[in-house]
Amino acid sequence: MTEPLPGITRQQIDTDVNSQWRYRAALPLPHTDPVTLGEGRTPLLTRTLGGHEVALKVESMNPTGSFKDRGTSVMITALREQGVDRILEDSSGNGGSSVAAYSAVAGIDAQILAPATTSAAKIVQSRLHGASVDLVAGTRQDVADEAVARSETRCYASHNWHPQFLEGVKLIAYEIWEDLGFVAPSAVVVPAGAGSLVLGCATGFAELQRAGEIDRPPRILISQPQHCCPLVQALARGEDSVATHSWQPTLAEGTAIAQPVRDREALQAIRHSGGAGTCVPEDELMPAVGELARAGVFVEPTSAQVLPALRRFHAEGHVDHDDTVVLILSGSGLKAAQRMAELITSPKT
């Protein structure tokens, strides 16, 4: 992570800009034209789900359909300013399609590596934006390993490694703060894979505290699928890093990261916030998609897992009915529509 920054006050928000770049004063960037597609300013919707009133931060409304656009916009802006014209990215889908889109706008040649099992819509999106896409057999970790191997010949602009990506993601904290009338929520519930949302929230809210705008940051509560939950496992065991383990495939593909590269930082951020983690069984993912869809929000299973996670956090006492809780819905259901259609139309056994 980058060195701690002082944060900004509400007076430093550029209210003439209707995107996340209204918080540009919080970024460690030179005064250069941003590579932007209008990311940020996503809706914060109040809903009652399962008897709990919550706020839904609908990140699926970003330009390419996921929160990754926040980090990609800032990262690609920095890379273009540095004169980089060829990049390599590894992704389970959303990061790749985001990098492909912003690279197209910046005039940067992008090569995307993705798991062979990635949802077809995400691959089509990347290719239509003009990126070359190589599908890699094996796990999400195999894809990351292949990217590192290729990084000797092309700039490795990994959204999991690049510090400017996290600088973009942290702006979601500023936006939630502004959405709530310049106060922090009690807790944020986020789907966690590599941990960029965890670290983005931790960084952004910490800056707001340093700027004197909030008294304390929210608790960071993470959800992972039971089939791949290394961060939750490490939290439960009191460990400082994730253990090597063989995990099962999961419908929540965006969080199927067996060895997150910033595991130590993510675990420290969760604990420092007073947060916690929980695992969601595979058979609860599609019902959660349906419940959110009936509330008017169509998200992929990776995002929907935060809803059953919320119920667990309530049951375990991590949040109560007096808390202001924000669920971050990270990506659009359109990204996984084909796979979900197969599941709901297949004969029951």
Side-chain angles (χ1 to χ4, degrees):
M1 298 177 70
T2 55
E3 289 297 313
L5 295 173
I8 62 172
T9 65
R10 67 194 73 183
Q11 288 77 24
Q12 291 174 276
I13 299 172
D14 186 349
T15 56
D16 290 334
V17 178
N18 191 30
S19 77
Q20 71 171 11
W21 288 89
R22 68 200 282 113
Y23 314 111
R24 181 181 184 134
L27 296 173
L29 277 178
H31 291 286
T32 183
D33 290 335
V35 179
T36 179
L37 293 170
E39 56 290 326
R41 304 298 291 150
T42 57
L44 187 72
L45 307 177
T46 301
R47 292 288 187 273
T48 299
L49 296 165
H52 307 294
E53 184 174 288
V54 296
L56 307 178
K57 188 60 173 165
V58 190
E59 289 297 282
S60 57
M61 297 297 287
N62 276 298
T64 75
S66 85
F67 83 93
K68 298 288 176 63
D69 292 343
R70 293 183 180 276
T72 302
S73 175
V74 176
M75 180 179 74
I76 295 296
T77 296
L79 290 170
R80 185 179 66 174
E81 178 69 13
Q82 293 166 356
V84 174
D85 60 5
R86 298 171 71 248
I87 63 172
L88 172 69
E89 154 79 336
D90 63 301
S91 167
S92 59
N94 283 331
S97 54
S98 181
V99 168
Y102 285 82
S103 294
V105 174
I108 293 174
D109 178 71
Q111 182 180 80
I112 311 297
L113 303 184
T117 56
T118 297
S119 298
K122 297 176 183 178
I123 301 305
V124 169
Q125 186 179 13
S126 294
R127 286 177 169 151
L128 286 175
H129 284 310
S132 61
V133 180
D134 289 349
L135 299 180
V136 179
T139 67
R140 177 65 181 82
Q141 188 60 45
D142 293 325
V143 179
D145 293 342
E146 176 65 17
V148 172
R150 296 192 191 187
S151 64
E152 292 184 5
T153 58
R154 184 181 280 250
C155 176
Y156 185 25
S158 168
H159 66 275
N160 293 327
W161 287 95
H162 202 287
Q164 291 292 355
F165 185 87
L166 289 180
E167 288 297 322
V169 177
K170 80 177 184 186
L171 300 182
I172 193 172
Y174 284 90
E175 198 164 295
I176 291 170
W177 162 68
E178 184 178 1
D179 289 340
L180 292 175
F182 301 106
V183 297
S186 309
V188 291
V189 184
V190 304
S196 57
L197 266 175
V198 171
L199 294 172
C201 285
T203 302
F205 284 114
E207 289 182 6
L208 286 166
Q209 185 179 33
R210 282 194 289 275
E213 287 289 337
I214 62 174
D215 292 331
R216 59 177 298 171
R219 300 184 295 280
I220 299 174
L221 306 174
I222 70 162
S223 171
Q224 294 194 295
Q226 197 171 70
H227 282 189
C228 188
C229 53
L231 290 170
V232 175
Q233 183 185 77
L235 285 170
R237 294 178 177 177
E239 296 168 346
D240 294 330
S241 61
V242 303
T244 301
H245 186 81
S246 179
W247 298 100
Q248 296 176 264
T250 174
L251 189 60
E253 61 184 11
T255 45
I257 312 293
Q259 294 285 334
V261 297
R262 295 180 182 271
D263 57 339
R264 290 179 177 273
E265 293 167 272
L267 291 167
Q268 183 180 33
I270 296 162
R271 289 181 174 125
H272 182 73
S273 75
T278 194
C279 301
V280 175
E282 202 71 9
D283 61 5
E284 294 184 20
L285 294 173
M286 281 303 296
V289 170
E291 187 173 355
L292 285 164
R294 289 186 291 276
V297 183
F298 185 42
V299 297
E300 62 183 331
T302 294
S303 300
Q305 66 179 299
V306 298
L307 183 53
L310 173 67
R311 295 191 172 104
R312 283 175 166 75
F313 290 131
H314 268 285
E316 295 167 3
H318 295 294
V319 293
D320 60 36
H321 291 283
D322 294 328
D323 282 321
T324 301
V325 182
V326 175
L327 307 187
I328 298 181
L329 303 179
S330 54
S332 171
L334 296 174
K335 298 294 194 82
Q338 181 177 341
R339 176 62 179 138
M340 291 194 291
E342 293 170 357
L343 290 173
I344 64 176
T345 58
S346 60
K348 300 291 189 296
T349 55

